[in-house]
Amino acid sequence: MRVSVDPDRCVSAGQCVMLAPDVFDQDDDGIVTLLQAEPPAELHTVVRQTASLCPVRLIQITE
Ligand code: SF4
């Protein structure tokens, strides 16, 4: 799995950080930052959940 984000579209909702804090973080303005572009297998399910729950669907996953 490879993860990418488009921070320019982030609305700082924070669901990604609450669900997968090992993969996503927020900067001082609340904008998403990616901690792991290739998360380990045990995180794949939760990363898929973040992609579907992000209100602006900016989390892209390549399997
Ligand atoms: S869930 Fe989406 S909009 Fe919210 S902080 Fe994460 S990437 Fe940004």
Side-chain angles (χ1 to χ4, degrees):
M1 169 185 283
R2 183 159 188 86
V3 183
S4 63
V5 297
D6 178 1
D8 291 343
R9 295 172 48 221
C10 181
V11 296
S12 310
Q15 282 93 332
C16 58
V17 179
M18 283 190 284
L19 276 170
D22 291 335
V23 180
F24 303 99
D25 199 0
Q26 288 173 286
D27 67 14
D28 291 342
D29 295 321
I31 302 300
V32 66
T33 59
L34 190 58
L35 301 178
Q36 297 191 70
E38 297 184 16
E42 62 266 27
L43 295 177
H44 288 187
T45 297
V46 75
V47 170
R48 290 187 195 101
Q49 289 175 335
T50 66
S52 64
L53 289 175
C54 173
V56 288
R57 300 293 179 102
L58 65 79
I59 299 169
Q60 300 295 320
I61 295 173
T62 306
E63 300 280 359

